[in-house]
Amino acid sequence: MNKRALIALSGGVDSSVTALLMQQAGYDCVAVHMLLTSEAADSSAAAAKAIASQLQMPFYEFDLRERFYQQVIEPFMQAYAAGLTPNPCILCNRELKFGALFQIAQQLDCQFLATGHYARLAYSKDYGRWLLRQAADLAKDQSYVLYALSQAQLARVKLPLGDYHKEDVRKMAAEAGFPNAKNPDSQDICFVPGGDYAAFIERTLAARAAQFSPPGDMLDANGQVVGQHRGLIHYTIGQRKGLGAHGKPVFVQEICAQHNTVTIGDDESTLSRRSFVLRDLNWIALDAPPQEPLACSIKIGYKHRMHPGSICLQQHKGQQRLHACFDVPQRAITPGQAAVFYAGPTPPDAADAADDAAIVLGGGTIERLVCGVCP
């Protein structure tokens, strides 16, 4: 069997230890660094090349900036302009980390692709499928952003960090003499340092920004105009800051791209909803969406905790759509974000053993909120 593996080497501590563990496991490793943004070009590529040299691995750098812009940044900006709140990391995983890199792996005759994601993979005879499970380190678990992977991809992916906690990874990096062993974790989206998405879009589009996301009416809960918003890219459901002075705390209740309006209100309880409809579905532990209500745990954001609910196909306006429903209303369910469904224990009760970790059933993109459809 070909045991040649492509290592996605970013230059950070997680991908560096991934390379080390794959090498120790006996794989013939090839390190590849993706150049995605001009800002990160010098430092990240140099760090990745240094780790590859230390491990005596062949090293390749691929300039994927144009593809990254077209497949991640452009859809990210378009989604914000449409009043959605996207997750670009999921797009990047699908299009670049497990899209472009698999194409590069084929070019370099690599059967496997190894990344520094914290999640666990195993083939289940009971399910007859590859299963994606939470990582041992629930605080670092990244199974949420991997829900869009196919069975064909899962069969070729290696996630060696899934069984380790972050402190163990840093210890291995230090013992190996890696200079990045104590580097802080990245907290922001890689192309939006500081986390100001609207400023990034305005800076990227420059003179076109005002036309791309023009100002419009800000409405109260009764539909009355109470001010002007600065463009939909500046707002997300549940937002409290940056809404102007209204004599009392208010929150973004609704964003309507069709009419270019932002609705605000002071009743925070109206932000809590139970049910929503999804699009762009992908199933991992299931062959198809459930025809009857299926109890599961639902996670609606990378930093959100999962909560119990159910999913099933239902008729809506003559079409079958997947509906998800929380048992208890949740705050700020946000169109554009991903919802991922899990079977098994819910944190913090999940044990470290792989068989006890929650399994990813599948997931999709939140399309809209709905009322009165919960089973």
Side-chain angles (χ1 to χ4, degrees):
M1 181 181 71
N2 179 4
K3 290 192 67 176
R4 186 172 169 89
L6 184 151
I7 312 298
L9 194 58
S10 68
V13 63
D14 291 332
S15 65
S16 300
V17 173
T18 293
L20 175 67
L21 291 173
M22 290 295 289
Q23 190 178 68
Q24 290 176 345
Y27 288 86
D28 177 14
C29 298
V30 177
V32 168
H33 178 77
M34 294 186 296
L35 178 57
L36 301 179
T37 65
S38 298
E39 292 78 5
D42 295 332
S43 59
S44 62
K49 187 174 183 179
I51 294 296
S53 177
Q54 185 173 341
L55 294 175
Q56 298 183 334
M57 287 183 186
F59 177 80
Y60 298 87
E61 183 178 341
F62 287 82
D63 187 344
L64 300 178
R65 285 177 290 185
E66 182 176 352
R67 181 166 177 171
F68 184 69
Y69 184 88
Q70 292 177 350
Q71 296 184 335
V72 178
I73 294 178
E74 184 67 29
F76 169 84
M77 296 192 296
Q78 293 288 349
Y80 259 105
L84 304 174
T85 303
N87 187 321
C89 296
I90 290 174
L91 267 180
C92 184
N93 278 322
R94 184 171 65 210
E95 304 296 343
L96 277 297
K97 293 180 181 176
F98 298 96
L101 281 183
F102 266 125
Q103 295 172 348
I104 293 170
Q106 184 173 359
Q107 295 175 27
L108 299 177
D109 194 29
C110 294
Q111 183 181 3
F112 299 104
L113 167 62
T115 75
H117 289 92
Y118 285 81
R120 288 184 280 197
L121 283 172
Y123 185 81
S124 169
K125 293 182 180 179
D126 292 336
Y127 282 79
R129 303 170 67 83
W130 284 90
L131 298 184
L132 173 65
R133 298 178 184 268
Q134 290 179 299
D137 189 342
L138 294 176
K140 301 299 296 182
D141 175 58
Q142 292 173 294
S143 59
Y144 171 84
V145 299
L146 300 178
Y147 82 88
L149 296 182
S150 68
Q151 284 291 309
Q153 290 172 321
L154 293 173
R156 298 177 57 196
V157 170
K158 299 293 180 182
L159 304 176
L161 301 190
D163 292 322
Y164 295 95
H165 285 70
K166 186 60 180 258
E167 56 265 31
D168 300 324
V169 171
R170 291 195 181 280
K171 182 178 179 181
M172 286 186 283
E175 291 173 348
F178 293 162
N180 56 18
K182 295 184 178 181
N183 286 3
D185 291 341
S186 175
Q187 300 297 319
D188 300 311
I189 294 173
C190 65
F191 60 89
V192 191
D196 191 336
Y197 311 135
F200 166 80
I201 294 172
E202 290 178 326
R203 186 169 62 251
T204 301
L205 297 176
R208 296 190 294 123
Q211 182 179 4
F212 182 79
S213 183
D217 289 335
M218 186 174 283
L219 311 176
D220 65 14
N222 298 315
Q224 299 298 310
V225 177
V226 294
Q228 292 285 298
H229 68 73
R230 296 181 293 155
L232 299 185
I233 62 173
H234 293 273
Y235 305 93
T236 188
I237 300 297
Q239 179 178 327
R240 179 174 177 176
K241 295 182 179 179
L243 303 181
H246 297 275
K248 54 188 173 182
V250 293
F251 306 86
V252 174
Q253 306 277 5
E254 184 180 354
I255 300 171
C256 178
Q258 182 180 357
H259 298 102
N260 192 29
T261 58
V262 173
T263 299
I264 61 173
D266 61 347
D267 185 359
E268 191 172 5
S269 66
T270 61
L271 292 174
S272 295
R273 305 283 287 274
R274 288 185 64 198
S275 56
F276 53 94
V277 175
L278 295 110
R279 58 177 171 83
D280 301 333
L281 300 168
N282 185 65
W283 300 104
I284 292 182
L286 300 178
D287 292 318
Q291 300 289 330
E292 299 294 332
L294 175 66
C296 61
S297 295
I298 307 173
K299 188 175 174 71
I300 56 171
Y302 176 64
K303 295 183 179 179
H304 284 239
R305 289 186 58 184
M306 43 171 102
H307 293 274
S310 61
I311 54 174
C312 73
L313 284 179
Q314 292 193 17
Q315 288 288 338
H316 184 74
K317 295 182 178 180
Q319 294 183 330
Q320 277 199 326
R321 306 301 297 270
L322 188 83
H323 289 258
C325 185
F326 283 108
D327 291 351
V328 176
Q330 300 298 315
R331 187 184 188 278
I333 301 173
T334 308
Q337 285 285 296
V340 179
F341 316 118
Y342 291 81
T346 302
D349 300 321
D352 283 347
D355 289 343
D356 293 329
I359 299 167
V360 175
L361 297 173
T365 302
I366 300 172
E367 183 176 81
R368 64 182 186 276
L369 308 185
V370 291
C371 297
V373 298
C374 293

